[in-house]
């Protein structure tokens, strides 16, 4: 078995309204992992243009996601923070993967079906091949671990399929070029914790999402304390008190969601939260959830606002991160070109 050094990669799209789901499912995990791994965190702007974007808004949103990374506690000196479009190897490797992945594989991707909706003919080709670019993002760093929310599980499985097929198809060349029996690792999705899929505050059967037209469906990372309090108080619930055990959350999606959010913000398990709040009415639980949410998210929002006022600093973090990312990614592209049999300058 080939061995790979342990490296984390993940990305967030600069598509507006960064919310509690992005934070608990992804960014909070990014912060935890930087104590144990070498980490590369990317603002995936090439992914963002798979659907229409306004250029000036996109620029602001790239800075906003970067500010969220930093405000949440990611250290851009010890790790790498950058935006995808500054490292052209992502797009280059994505082309190679367009030629490795099969149409049938991409046809099965549920995110494309959801985002393209009924107007499939009018969706961009980029939206269809999005998972190949995501595989390139991860594998251009030969990353071994990818922290994501539950909604990205299928794309991660596709990334593994692409890595496996590349390793199989080019096995002889990989060995002949001295890379052992496999060039790419099969990266592992890290989908853990009580908030793997944070649901809408208005509908416990829908994912909390940036594009939901109702702002009351989500808590944005830049929401004021008042806005957070209002949204939590108005969150949909059911008439029963909270159960004392986790099994009692079955068939109660809204209750399950709020307990999961509380647990993730408090760094506890759902069982521990229910041991404290079991039997309580939602009004009491929601008050505690407001206090916890404001205590945890308030400082992040304030720091994001402070950082957003210093564009030069944010841009310098991205340029420095891109320079360091590029050094790794360009080496991968050299190796891949040798494996494919392309001629390159030496
Ligand atoms: N509701 C969620 N619960 C847990 N994790 C979530 N993530 C997104 N929504 C939830 C995770 O956040 C990371 C970054 O997501 P993204 O920027 O790639 O965008 P997305 O998944 O497309 O986000 P949205 O809000 O769902 O956007 P729209 O509305 O455009 O579809 C990923 O790790 C993701 O799993």
């Amino acid at each position: 078995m080939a061995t790979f050094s342990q490296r984390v990669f993940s990305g967030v799209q600069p598509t507006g309204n960064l919310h509690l789901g992005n934070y608990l499912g992804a960014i909070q995990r990014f912060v935890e992992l930087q104590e144990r791994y070498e980490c590369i965190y990317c603002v995936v702007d090439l992914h963002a243009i798979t659907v229409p974007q306004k250029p000036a808004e996109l620029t602001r949103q790239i800075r906003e996601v970067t500010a969220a990374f930093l405000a949440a506690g990611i250290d851009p000196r010890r790790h790498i923070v950058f935006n995808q479009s500054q490292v052209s190897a992502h797009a280059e490797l994505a082309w190679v993967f367009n030629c490795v992945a099969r149409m049938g594989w991409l046809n099965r991707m549920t995110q494309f079906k959801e985002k393209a909706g009924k107007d499939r003919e009018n969706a961009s080709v980029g939206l269809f091949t999005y998972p190949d670019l995501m595989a390139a993002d991860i594998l251009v760093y030969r990353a071994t671990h990818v922290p994501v929310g539950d909604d990205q599980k299928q794309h991660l499985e596709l990334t593994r399929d692409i890595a496996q097929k590349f390793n199989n198809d080019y096995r002889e060349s990989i060995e002949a070029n001295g890379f052992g029996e496999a060039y790419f690792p099969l990266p592992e999705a890290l989908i853990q914790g009580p908030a793997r899929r944070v649901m809408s505050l208005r509908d416990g059967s829908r994912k909390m999402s940036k594009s939901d037209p109702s702002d009351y469906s989500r808590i944005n990372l830049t929401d004021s304390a008042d806005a957070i309090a209002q949204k939590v108080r108005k969150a949909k619930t059911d008439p029963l008190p909270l159960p004392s055990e986790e099994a009692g959350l079955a068939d109660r999606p809204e209750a399950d969601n709020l307990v999961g959010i509380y647990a993730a913000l408090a760094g506890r398990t759902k069982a521990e939260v229910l041991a404290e709040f079991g039997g309580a009415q939602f009004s009491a639980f929601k008050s505690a959830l407001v206090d916890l949410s404001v205590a945890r998210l308030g400082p992040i929002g304030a720091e994001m606002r402070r950082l957003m006022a210093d564009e030069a600093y944010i841009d310098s973090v991205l340029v420095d991160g891109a320079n360091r990312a590029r050094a790794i990614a360009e080496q991968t592209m050299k190796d891949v070109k040798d494996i494919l049999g392309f001629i390159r300058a030496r």
Side-chain angles (χ1 to χ4, degrees), residues 13 19 21-22 115 149 151 196 198 207-211:
Q13 294 191 73
H19 53 72
N22 299 132
K115 292 205 170 177
D151 57 324
R196 285 165 247 189
V198 177
K207 185 178 89 121
M208 185 177 284
S209 154
K210 294 176 187 139
S211 56

Side-chain angles (χ1 to χ4, degrees), residues 28-167:
Q28 179 173 259
R29 313 283 333 286
F30 298 178
V31 177
E32 293 159 11
L33 290 165
Q34 62 179 350
E35 300 311 321
R36 282 188 282 139
Y37 295 92
E38 172 196 359
C39 300
I40 303 177
Y41 295 130
C42 187
V43 185
V44 288
D45 46 14
L46 297 178
H47 283 282
I49 61 163
T50 55
V51 295
Q53 301 294 337
K54 294 195 176 83
E57 268 294 284
L58 183 61
T59 309
R60 198 189 63 74
Q61 287 165 184
I62 293 167
R63 293 196 180 111
E64 187 173 281
V65 175
T66 312
F69 284 174
L70 304 182
I74 293 168
D75 181 346
R77 288 174 304 275
R78 279 172 51 216
H79 301 278
I80 294 179
V81 171
F82 75 109
N83 61 313
Q84 190 185 23
S85 60
Q86 291 203 56
V87 180
S88 56
H90 288 246
E92 213 177 345
L93 187 59
W95 176 258
V96 175
F97 289 166
N98 281 342
C99 302
V100 173
R102 307 289 92 185
M103 289 291 287
W105 297 1
L106 292 179
N107 271 331
R108 284 195 284 275
M109 294 297 110
T110 53
Q111 183 173 293
F112 175 75
K113 290 179 196 159
E114 281 161 23
K115 292 205 170 177
K118 291 199 179 76
D119 201 6
R120 224 181 122 102
E121 291 294 305
N122 208 25
S124 73
V125 176
L127 189 66
F128 184 69
T129 60
Y130 182 115
D132 291 349
L133 178 58
M134 180 164 158
D137 298 337
I138 297 163
L139 294 172
V140 84
Y141 303 101
R142 299 167 92 195
T144 51
H145 295 82
V146 186
V148 280
D150 185 62
D151 57 324
Q152 292 299 326
K153 192 170 172 204
Q154 194 185 35
H155 287 165
L156 243 299
E157 279 159 12
L158 188 96
T159 298
R160 293 167 63 92
D161 289 343
I162 289 173
Q164 179 87 67
K165 183 161 165 50
F166 182 95
N167 289 340

Side-chain angles (χ1 to χ4, degrees), residues 130-329:
Y130 182 115
D132 291 349
L133 178 58
M134 180 164 158
D137 298 337
I138 297 163
L139 294 172
V140 84
Y141 303 101
R142 299 167 92 195
T144 51
H145 295 82
V146 186
V148 280
D150 185 62
D151 57 324
Q152 292 299 326
K153 192 170 172 204
Q154 194 185 35
H155 287 165
L156 243 299
E157 279 159 12
L158 188 96
T159 298
R160 293 167 63 92
D161 289 343
I162 289 173
Q164 179 87 67
K165 183 161 165 50
F166 182 95
N167 289 340
N168 289 347
D169 288 356
Y170 294 100
R171 172 128 190 196
E172 263 181 41
S173 184
I174 289 169
E175 281 180 356
N177 278 285
F179 297 117
E181 61 200 25
Y183 182 71
F184 288 119
L186 305 189
E188 195 187 314
L190 299 177
I191 304 174
Q192 291 156 347
R196 285 165 247 189
R197 182 181 285 259
V198 177
M199 307 310 276
S200 158
L201 298 181
R202 308 302 294 162
D203 177 353
S205 67
R206 294 166 64 91
K207 185 178 89 121
M208 185 177 284
S209 154
K210 294 176 187 139
S211 56
D212 192 314
S214 166
D215 200 48
Y216 276 90
S217 68
R218 65 181 160 261
I219 295 176
N220 302 307
L221 292 189
T222 47
D223 277 345
S224 65
D226 279 354
I228 294 173
Q230 264 196 16
K231 288 176 180 182
V232 172
R233 290 210 183 92
K234 284 192 184 230
K236 190 175 167 200
T237 47
D238 57 45
L240 301 174
L242 281 168
S244 304
E245 287 174 9
E246 230 179 307
L249 292 172
D251 304 322
R252 295 181 65 186
E254 284 85 13
D256 187 26
N257 190 37
L258 294 184
V259 171
I261 291 172
Y262 190 101
L265 284 171
R268 292 158 70 184
T269 62
K270 287 189 199 177
E272 286 166 350
V273 174
L274 292 177
E276 182 180 345
F277 289 98
Q281 297 298 324
F282 273 105
S283 50
F285 179 65
K286 281 180 168 181
S287 292
L289 183 55
V290 167
D291 291 345
L292 179 61
S293 306
V294 170
R296 289 293 316 278
L297 302 181
I300 296 175
E303 179 64 358
M304 279 176 71
R305 280 185 286 278
R306 191 188 70 77
L307 288 165
M308 287 292 285
D310 192 351
E311 291 179 358
Y313 171 68
I314 292 193
D315 295 1
S316 73
V317 167
L318 293 174
V319 168
D320 173 63
N323 287 339
R324 289 185 285 137
R326 197 178 300 115
I328 304 170

